[in-house]
Amino acid sequence: MAKPKAFDPVPAVAGAMAGATEICITMPLDTVKTYMQVNKGVPNLVVAGKQIISQKGIPGLYYGLPAMMLQVSCKAGIRFLAFEQIRGAMAAQFPESGATKVNLLSGLGAGFIEAMVWTAPTERIKILRQNDIKSSNPKYSSFLGGIRTILKEQGIAGFYRGVIPTTLRQASSVAVRFMLYKEVMGRLAPAGQKPSVWQQLFAGSLTGVASTLLNNPIDVVKSRLQSQDGGKPAYRGTVHCLVSTARNEGMMALYRGTLPRMMKVSAGQAITFAAYEQFTLLIRSLEQA
């Protein structure tokens, strides 16, 4: 049995840098996507964008950027670190397992860890802040202010509203992304060939399209549960929200925001994977200098 590799912090550092790069570019699409999912009368991304700009101006598309940069960079750092650690452990324990299976299960584990440790509570703050766009008197005017408000009114449990759909979304998304990225890159740049940035961008974008089509309904449920702020909630939980949305608004309501989310996620994963590979090469070269 092979020994697992020693702890390596490079995936966390490169992942965090890749996440920060990605969100600076794709933030407007994430804002539009969330706005469409929590506002039932918004028919498409163009209308959503116009409404956001009319209420908050162009900066409204970047509403909560500092918090998002912190959230996404840490999320990506945790994701890549967890993936590499789990993959290394699995390869050592089960050397005969195929790479596809190892990548899928490692991604599943990484997505679960990422969601429980970081994504669920920070997504809650993000959704509440983005839902504040339509308010003339924002309740969550800053990242730290949002934390204080949630703690004061709802306690620690308030950060984990919607944790089940968040975890389901992250685990399934990350599993598919890592498995598919490794498979596509293996075909585009077989072992021994140096992949180009364009190949990395293409493979990353495919993972975003696939994961979006797979779990957009659970993303809609997550956004609606997390946007509930005090008072009597419209949805009691994940299953109730899923069934209620489909029954009252039709099945297509579960695919509300698919286009901006697909644009955001496919572009985001293209940037994240390519940036991660490039930052990893940079850090490794600096280590050897």
Side-chain angles (χ1 to χ4, degrees):
M1 183 183 298
K3 292 183 179 180
K5 296 180 180 178
F7 177 77
D8 181 10
V10 172
V13 177
M17 295 169 70
T21 302
E22 179 259 317
I23 197 58
C24 286
I25 298 171
T26 63
M27 176 76 182
L29 288 170
D30 188 75
T31 303
V32 169
K33 180 269 296 186
T34 301
Y35 189 86
M36 288 181 65
Q37 289 180 337
V38 301
N39 293 283
K40 300 177 183 179
V42 181
N44 56 58
L45 65 89
V46 175
V47 172
K50 287 181 177 179
Q51 289 185 8
I52 293 170
I53 293 172
S54 68
Q55 293 171 42
K56 299 292 182 180
I58 295 295
L61 295 171
Y62 289 89
Y63 203 65
L65 178 61
M68 279 294 286
M69 188 175 294
L70 175 65
Q71 192 242 15
V72 174
S73 61
C74 289
K75 178 171 71 172
I78 293 169
R79 176 192 308 159
F80 280 100
L81 177 63
F83 174 78
E84 294 296 347
Q85 291 295 307
I86 296 171
R87 184 172 67 160
M90 287 192 66
Q93 291 290 325
F94 310 103
E96 296 182 358
S97 295
T100 300
K101 180 180 178 181
V102 170
N103 290 330
L104 179 68
L105 294 177
S106 299
L108 193 69
F112 178 83
I113 292 170
E114 168 198 323
M116 296 302 297
V117 171
W118 186 256
T119 307
T122 54
E123 280 271 318
R124 168 72 165 149
I125 299 170
K126 183 203 81 170
I127 295 295
L128 288 173
R129 292 205 69 211
Q130 290 182 332
N131 199 37
D132 249 0
I133 287 174
K134 58 187 179 182
S135 174
S136 58
N137 185 27
K139 187 177 180 181
Y140 304 93
S141 57
S142 68
F143 184 70
L144 292 177
I147 292 175
R148 287 194 295 267
T149 301
I150 294 172
L151 278 174
K152 180 180 178 181
E153 297 183 357
Q154 303 169 39
I156 295 294
F159 292 103
Y160 283 89
R161 180 169 290 180
V163 66
I164 293 176
T166 300
T167 302
L168 289 173
R169 185 198 68 172
Q170 290 306 115
S172 60
S173 292
V174 175
V176 168
R177 289 169 190 169
F178 275 113
M179 181 195 70
L180 186 58
Y181 181 78
K182 299 295 185 182
E183 287 292 312
V184 173
M185 287 304 300
R187 296 178 183 277
L188 293 177
Q193 291 186 18
K194 182 180 180 181
S196 68
V197 173
W198 292 111
Q199 288 173 328
Q200 293 164 351
L201 287 168
F202 175 72
S205 68
L206 286 182
T207 72
V209 172
S211 61
T212 300
L213 293 175
L214 171 70
N215 62 20
N216 199 78
I218 203 67
D219 189 65
V220 172
V221 170
K222 177 201 74 71
S223 292
R224 293 194 173 190
L225 287 174
Q226 291 183 326
S227 68
Q228 296 183 131
D229 182 24
K232 185 178 180 181
Y235 308 108
R236 297 190 298 271
T238 303
V239 175
H240 179 251
C241 182
L242 189 68
V243 172
S244 178
T245 300
R247 179 183 297 151
N248 297 330
E249 302 173 49
M251 288 297 296
M252 290 309 297
L254 294 171
Y255 285 88
R256 189 183 296 275
T258 297
L259 181 57
R261 181 172 180 244
M262 185 180 293
M263 292 169 63
K264 188 266 180 186
V265 174
S266 61
Q269 292 309 304
I271 295 165
T272 298
F273 275 108
Y276 173 78
E277 302 279 18
Q278 297 306 309
F279 282 130
T280 299
L281 288 174
L282 175 62
I283 295 170
R284 298 293 187 201
S285 66
L286 292 175
E287 285 182 330
Q288 298 171 3

